Amino acid sequence: MPVIEKRRSRDLPQINERIRFPKIRLIDTDGAQLGIMPPQEALRLAEEKELDLVLLSDKADPPVCRIMDYGKFKFEQEKKAREARKKQHTADVKEVKMRYKIEPHDYQVRVRQAERFLKDGDKVKATVMFRGREIQHSDMAEVLLKRMANDLEGLAEIQQAPKKEGRNMMMLLSPKK
């Protein structure tokens, strides 16, 4: 049990009485520097204003603390983290399947699909499927995949060259930065 308690106290930021340094640099609520002082004096100043003393940087010499409303500060941090998560896009792998004997129009449809996926920031796995004895023509499938990579050259770069996997040949394309 004591290990969990130690971990919890380590995860919590150092505020008020938890700040244990001989001297700290204090910043006021409006951003003005109040100078270097012992944490007890800084805590007294914070309590007079009915606010908290929050450690901002323990790497600095001396460590930097600020007088602020910790609840409000924590809420703002969580809000920023939520916004950042909302904006980040995870690249999914979308698959485009075809056969090596594909008709020209059907091939164009697959290229447009792959184009759309790449523009959305997703990776594209282009797969050519074989049935029965078609696997003997894997060289034709490789030519088809290279042609697709060439057609998408402006949007994509080959992440994984065409390779055979069982009864399929696949290639992975990722969007250009």
Side-chain angles (χ1 to χ4, degrees), residues 32-51:
Q33 290 206 20
L34 300 178
I36 297 171
M37 60 183 70
Q40 297 80 11
E41 192 178 323
L43 185 59
R44 187 184 52 76
L45 288 170
E47 286 172 350
E48 282 175 11
K49 297 181 181 186
E50 295 181 4
L51 294 171

Side-chain angles (χ1 to χ4, degrees), residues 129-168:
M129 302 171 297
F130 302 109
R131 281 196 196 147
R133 285 185 248 157
E134 288 179 352
I135 202 148
Q136 296 168 350
H137 302 288
S138 59
D139 54 328
M140 294 172 84
E142 191 171 345
V143 168
L144 179 68
L145 288 172
K146 285 183 178 174
R147 183 172 129 209
M148 179 179 245
N150 200 34
D151 290 347
L152 295 169
E153 194 174 14
L155 292 170
E157 49 194 34
I158 298 176
Q159 188 172 335
Q160 187 177 343
K163 77 171 195 183
K164 218 190 277 190
E165 282 186 355
R167 293 196 131 321
N168 298 325

Side-chain angles (χ1 to χ4, degrees), residues 25-35 49 65-67:
R25 181 178 305 275
L26 186 63
I27 300 173
D28 201 6
T29 51
D30 56 3
Q33 290 206 20
L34 300 178
K49 297 181 181 186
C65 294
R66 184 174 193 157
I67 295 175

Side-chain angles (χ1 to χ4, degrees), residues 36-133:
I36 297 171
M37 60 183 70
Q40 297 80 11
E41 192 178 323
L43 185 59
R44 187 184 52 76
L45 288 170
E47 286 172 350
E48 282 175 11
K49 297 181 181 186
E50 295 181 4
L51 294 171
D52 299 303
L53 183 65
V54 181
L55 179 71
L56 296 180
S57 171
D58 57 351
K59 303 282 186 271
D61 185 36
V64 180
C65 294
R66 184 174 193 157
I67 295 175
M68 66 172 79
D69 181 356
Y70 180 68
K72 190 175 177 182
F73 171 72
K74 191 175 173 188
F75 175 74
E76 290 295 324
Q77 296 290 91
E78 288 171 1
K79 194 173 170 184
K80 282 180 190 171
R82 272 195 304 275
E83 288 298 316
R85 271 197 303 276
K86 220 182 275 183
K87 286 180 181 144
Q88 101 185 29
H89 172 76
T90 55
D92 297 327
V93 177
K94 305 280 186 162
E95 190 168 18
V96 176
K97 288 185 173 184
M98 56 194 146
R99 307 274 300 281
Y100 79 93
K101 295 186 213 174
I102 193 167
E103 293 293 319
H105 176 262
D106 294 334
Y107 171 76
Q108 288 305 319
V109 169
R110 297 299 182 273
V111 168
R112 281 196 303 274
Q113 277 180 332
E115 213 172 275
R116 190 177 71 236
F117 295 148
L118 290 164
K119 283 180 181 172
D120 289 344
D122 297 320
K123 294 179 180 181
V124 174
K125 180 180 177 182
T127 306
V128 176
M129 302 171 297
F130 302 109
R131 281 196 196 147
R133 285 185 248 157

